[in-house]
Amino acid sequence: RLNGITKFMSGGKRTIRGLANSGLTDRMGDIVEPKGGRWTLPIPLLWQHKHDQPIGWVRQIDAKSDGLWITAELAEGIGKADEAWRAIESGLVDSYSIGFQADDWSPLPTGGKRFTSWTLLEVSVVTIPADPAAKIRRGMSSIDRAVQIAKGA
C-alpha cells in the first residue's frame, strides 16, 4: 500500500477499482450523468486516453446515484500495461477519465453541457482527470486481502 492506493491481485489478475465519473461538474464545466450511459462490456482501458496504448479492460460497471463505479483489469506482459501498473502502485497516477460519445445533452447556465444520454467508448487511467473525484479507490474485499497476505504482499 503506497500513497493510499491499494492494487491487488484477484484470481491472479491485476485489478483496480474506483469511481470513473462522479456526475458532478467537471473541470470543463460539464456534467456527465452516470445513469445516462450505455455500454457493452468489456470496455477498453487506455493509458492517458491514447487509443494506441490499451492497457486492459473494464470488466464491471455499476451506475449509481453517486457515480459510475468500475472494476478494471490490467493486461500482463504488455510494456505499457506493466508501466501503468507500476505508476499506479507508486501513486504517480491515481485517476480515471471517461471517453464517450454524446447522444443527448442540454446546455448549462454556466456554459457547459449536461450529458443525459451517452455511450461509453473507453476508460483511461490518467494523471489529471476532467472529473476531480474520478479516482482509483482504496480497499479490497477480505477474500482479495487474504490472497494478497497468502502471497506475502
Side-chain angles (χ1 to χ4, degrees):
R1 184 174 170 106
L2 297 170
N3 297 325
I5 300 292
T6 303
K7 305 181 320 169
F8 56 96
M9 301 294 284
S10 178
K13 298 180 187 296
R14 301 191 298 189
T15 305
I16 55 176
R17 294 183 177 140
L19 183 65
N21 171 50
S22 69
L24 301 173
T25 304
D26 65 22
R27 289 185 170 108
M28 271 74 75
D30 297 330
I31 296 172
V32 181
E33 293 187 1
K35 291 190 175 186
R38 291 189 317 274
W39 53 81
T40 302
L41 294 173
I43 297 288
L45 183 69
L46 303 180
W47 177 250
Q48 309 282 353
H49 288 296
K50 295 180 181 174
H51 296 146
D52 62 343
Q53 294 186 1
I55 59 171
W57 313 265
V58 176
R59 297 291 193 189
Q60 181 179 351
I61 301 174
D62 193 10
K64 298 182 177 184
S65 59
D66 66 342
L68 199 67
W69 294 89
I70 68 165
T71 300
E73 174 189 341
L74 275 75
E76 291 188 54
I78 306 291
K80 188 51 72 176
D82 292 343
E83 182 182 327
W85 185 249
R86 288 189 303 275
I88 294 165
E89 181 177 50
S90 70
L92 286 173
V93 178
D94 67 352
S95 300
Y96 290 117
S97 185
I98 60 173
F100 64 95
Q101 174 183 319
D103 299 320
D104 195 21
W105 59 273
S106 59
L108 292 169
T110 55
K113 297 176 182 173
R114 176 184 298 274
F115 296 98
T116 54
S117 178
W118 49 277
T119 303
L120 185 63
L121 302 175
E122 55 95 356
V123 175
S124 284
V125 173
V126 299
T127 308
I128 302 171
D131 180 347
K135 296 290 184 181
I136 297 169
R137 291 291 191 229
R138 299 98 181 111
M140 64 184 81
S141 74
S142 57
I143 292 170
D144 291 327
R145 181 65 187 141
V147 168
Q148 192 181 54
I149 291 168
K151 290 183 176 182

